Amino acid sequence: MAMGSSSVFQSWGLFSPLTPSKTKPTPQFIVKAQSPLTQNNNSPAVSKQRRPADENIRDEARRNNVSHRDHLFSAKYVPFNADPSSTESYSLDEIVYRSQSGGLLDVQHDMEALKRFDGEYWRSLFDSRVGKTTWPYGSGVWSKKEWVLPEIDGDDIVSAFEGNSNLFWAERFGKQFLGMNDLWVKHCGISHTGSFKDLGMTVLVSQVNRLRKMNRPVVGVGCASTGDTSAALSAYCASAGIPSIVFLPANRISMAQLVQPIANGAFVLSIDTDFDGCMQLIREVTAELPIYLANSLNSLRLEGQKTAAIEILQQFDWQVPDWVIVPGGNLGNIYAFYKGFRMCHELGLVDRVPRLVCAQAANANPLYLYFKSGWKEFKAVKASTTFASAIQIGDPVSIDRAVLALKNCDGIVEEATEEELMDAMAQADSTGMFICPHTGVALTALVKLRNRGIIKPTDRTVVVSTAHGLKFTQSKIDYHSKNIRDMASRFANPPLQVKADFGSVMDVLKKYLQSKAPKH
Ligand SMILES: Cc1ncc(COP(=O)(O)O)c(C=O)c1O
Ligand SMILES: N[C@@H](CCOP(=O)(O)O)C(=O)O
């Protein structure tokens, strides 16, 4: 089959760059993949015919054999940051979370196979899939399937068409508070369950779905959580009919987060300890029972989360921002972003990797302290209560992953006090956002790095917003009612109680309009 010759693949927004399956594709054959938008002068690729009424999108994908060529690519578990001479590896179909030495694992892709296609090929392929309803590529995660779980069958995928989240130009916040003109917020929280965890969970639950079909011993899937992992796990499991079990630190997560797994039918354990205590328990339990571990200790999750980094590059037409700021807790996500950027660089989609900043709450700052020590000594901390409750983590499982990521991109770690993060959240909200406190932590890091002149006014900077603000309304209510001890709540905007009569309403409105009138 000649490259680009099959109208079936073109109509699916796919290229058909393959030689017959027994022949290895030759590089010169492959690198000439055409963009679907340039194939036919100005006309887009052949339009897709409406599927028969009795067929669903999964059936349609099967009939069109959309992932027929994914056997060219493969991935396996290897020890994280292993010595190149190491031969230890595991199939993704094995149930394994740790290396023989007890260290972390990483999903390693067959980069040589991926490199048979050039950067332009991958850019065009990914671009051709954005915003479609084609199963499974309509998902921002599965639109990068070859780089995520290349070998999984489309039939096993559990997806809510997650990803493709808004990259918001923070024009007013940037200009007013930072003198910046190229500031962006990647709204990963505007998502199926309201956080970036959906990106990882679609991958993990899809693999579990596959394992169960293979009769592997997986009865349920479990996690410890500060509220977002549990929401995502329970939703994806519910959608696939798989039992989910969540360990939550009692009274330490928001009401909205608590109700999510309850509503989705998870088995919810509210445990009288903090997140680190729950994490320890779930690790022990998953070693004994047929419960698959869904926390980011499981490196599968990060394969989905890394697609947010690829998406950012894609949204900038494959130009690399100068800075990307990510709030960090268990520290899987900062590594996932690094991995996404690094793959794009290594496979020729972009020419460099941006500098990363990991932002922590000062009340839960073990990475910050480690960074400040010049990476000399890591000490877990006892994390105290923070409004950024989803990152109240003192003993992050992905500490080694985070350090590798930050060292390799000349990264920085910053911290935010409770007052700083709440003020930053309120200021951002006052410019039309509605962010979560964790994004307030990331914005505080940005403010500090701008004030120190490290981030320049014209630097293209992306702040990663990790959860939806609606999950954290109580913190906003407390702030705006000036109800927080030892906090000035400088940007509070409490509602005004007014009598129900015309005169009183007119009086307050006139005063308000006067205060807002342009001053000449
Ligand atoms: C809303 C939110 N932001 C940030 C994080 C931090 O991500 P990570 O644990 O991967 O560092 C988490 C979870 O930990 C989260 O739920
Ligand atoms: N914020 C997380 C904490 C657990 O992180 P994970 O990425 O290791 O699952 C949560 O929402 O539970």
Side-chain angles (χ1 to χ4, degrees):
M1 187 193 304
M3 178 169 45
S5 66
S6 160
S7 61
V8 172
F9 298 112
Q10 288 164 7
S11 71
W12 279 78
L14 295 171
F15 307 137
S16 52
L18 306 182
T19 49
S21 55
K22 283 186 196 118
T23 326
K24 272 197 172 178
T26 57
Q28 69 274 28
F29 179 68
I30 286 158
V31 293
K32 289 186 186 136
Q34 282 181 301
S35 156
L37 300 177
T38 56
Q39 284 165 3
N40 213 352
N41 299 330
N42 299 331
S43 59
V46 185
S47 66
K48 185 171 139 182
Q49 293 220 324
R50 187 160 177 173
R51 64 177 186 277
D54 61 350
E55 191 179 71
N56 65 34
I57 53 172
R58 242 187 236 278
D59 301 331
E60 185 185 33
R62 200 179 306 120
R63 175 168 54 79
N64 286 291
N65 197 12
V66 290
S67 49
H68 74 110
R69 69 227 153 85
D70 293 356
H71 66 273
L72 268 192
F73 310 110
S74 64
K76 61 187 177 190
Y77 295 120
V78 296
F80 171 74
N81 202 18
D83 190 281
S85 64
S86 162
T87 54
E88 186 182 341
S89 72
Y90 308 89
S91 154
L92 298 188
D93 293 335
E94 286 183 63
I95 298 173
V96 54
Y97 315 116
R98 288 274 183 193
S99 70
Q100 272 162 14
S101 67
L104 293 163
L105 294 175
D106 199 17
V107 173
Q108 185 184 73
H109 289 265
D110 178 352
M111 294 300 282
E112 290 317 306
L114 293 171
K115 277 180 190 164
R116 292 187 206 143
F117 301 81
D118 71 359
E120 173 52 26
Y121 170 78
W122 290 117
R123 285 194 299 258
S124 302
L125 180 66
F126 295 160
D127 286 346
S128 73
R129 291 170 174 170
V130 174
K132 306 278 167 54
T133 53
T134 306
W135 187 266
Y137 303 123
S139 151
V141 171
W142 297 106
S143 64
K144 281 93 188 166
K145 180 174 183 289
E146 296 83 351
W147 294 23
V148 174
L149 279 190
E151 290 158 292
I152 196 166
D153 194 296
D155 261 359
D156 296 338
I157 288 176
V158 182
S159 168
F161 279 0
E162 50 291 305
N164 292 323
S165 59
N166 177 17
L167 183 56
F168 171 86
W169 180 34
E171 181 182 14
R172 188 160 159 232
F173 186 87
K175 200 193 248 175
Q176 187 169 328
F177 299 114
L178 298 159
M180 295 178 83
N181 66 2
D182 211 0
L183 174 64
W184 301 78
V185 176
K186 176 69 172 163
H187 275 302
C188 292
I190 301 181
S191 174
H192 187 59
T193 70
S195 88
F196 71 95
K197 306 286 180 176
D198 292 344
L199 305 176
M201 212 51 83
T202 180
V203 176
L204 184 132
V205 175
S206 297
Q207 179 65 14
V208 168
N209 205 24
R210 171 182 163 97
L211 294 176
R212 281 163 60 97
K213 287 186 187 173
M214 295 165 96
N215 291 322
R216 294 291 154 90
V218 181
V219 178
V221 193
C223 72
S225 183
T226 53
D228 289 324
T229 298
S230 43
L233 176 65
S234 55
Y236 281 84
C237 279
S239 137
I242 299 171
S244 63
I245 300 113
V246 306
F247 288 11
L248 302 178
N251 304 319
R252 286 176 174 87
I253 71 170
S254 77
M255 198 55 82
Q257 289 172 311
L258 173 62
V259 85
Q260 287 184 286
I262 291 174
N264 287 143
F267 188 52
V268 180
L269 303 193
S270 174
I271 306 179
D272 190 15
T273 179
D274 56 10
F275 170 80
D276 298 299
C278 288
M279 189 70 223
Q280 183 57 36
L281 282 168
I282 195 79
R283 279 164 76 163
E284 287 166 15
V285 163
T286 50
E288 296 290 323
L289 297 175
I291 298 176
Y292 192 77
L293 179 67
N295 284 102
S296 59
L297 174 65
N298 186 327
S299 45
L300 276 181
R301 280 261 314 278
L302 306 182
E303 292 308 292
Q305 290 172 211
K306 80 182 180 198
T307 61
I310 307 170
E311 219 171 84
I312 289 172
L313 298 174
Q314 190 168 18
Q315 286 166 312
F316 285 133
D317 276 330
W318 305 102
Q319 289 164 12
V320 183
D322 300 300
W323 298 92
V324 177
I325 306 178
V326 186
N330 221 10
L331 299 181
N333 212 28
I334 185 78
Y335 176 69
F337 268 85
Y338 169 71
K339 192 170 183 185
F341 288 129
R342 190 189 61 194
M343 275 184 89
C344 285
H345 183 214
E346 208 176 324
L347 291 166
L349 285 74
V350 295
D351 59 1
R352 65 191 168 90
V353 165
R355 288 184 74 182
L356 298 181
V357 178
C358 189
Q360 293 209 295
N363 283 357
N365 62 354
L367 181 72
Y368 175 77
L369 297 177
Y370 192 17
F371 174 74
K372 280 288 174 195
S373 78
W375 300 124
K376 284 209 179 66
E377 195 194 355
F378 174 73
K379 280 201 206 110
V381 301
K382 180 85 190 152
S384 327
T385 307
T386 166
F387 282 105
S389 52
I391 53 175
Q392 189 186 333
I393 297 173
D395 192 8
V397 299
S398 285
I399 182 70
D400 295 343
R401 291 174 174 145
V403 172
L404 179 130
L406 290 161
K407 282 185 177 169
N408 283 356
C409 69
D410 196 12
I412 294 176
V413 187
E414 254 307 340
E415 66 169 0
T417 64
E418 292 302 290
E419 182 144 22
E420 286 168 340
L421 73 91
M422 291 298 277
D423 281 348
M425 178 173 80
Q427 285 181 305
D429 288 355
S430 76
T431 66
M433 291 183 249
F434 194 77
I435 58 165
C436 69
H438 320 84
T439 311
V441 172
L443 285 173
T444 301
L446 169 63
V447 170
K448 290 182 170 177
L449 294 171
R450 265 295 295 126
N451 288 344
R452 296 213 299 271
I454 295 172
I455 296 185
K456 307 274 181 304
T458 54
D459 282 356
R460 178 173 289 178
T461 303
V462 180
V463 170
V464 176
S465 178
T466 44
H468 203 296
L470 283 171
K471 289 195 188 200
F472 299 92
T473 45
Q474 190 58 51
S475 65
K476 291 178 193 285
I477 292 168
D478 291 347
Y479 184 91
H480 287 289
S481 44
K482 294 194 173 236
N483 215 3
I484 304 170
R485 190 140 50 94
D486 299 330
M487 197 178 286
S489 298
R490 286 185 296 145
F491 308 104
N493 178 32
L496 199 62
Q497 302 274 348
V498 196
K499 275 209 220 122
D501 68 69
F502 181 73
S504 307
V505 170
M506 284 297 279
D507 283 352
V508 296
L509 279 179
K510 279 183 191 156
K511 226 166 150 185
Y512 173 75
L513 292 177
Q514 246 166 28
S515 76
K516 293 289 165 191
K519 296 181 182 59
H520 298 293

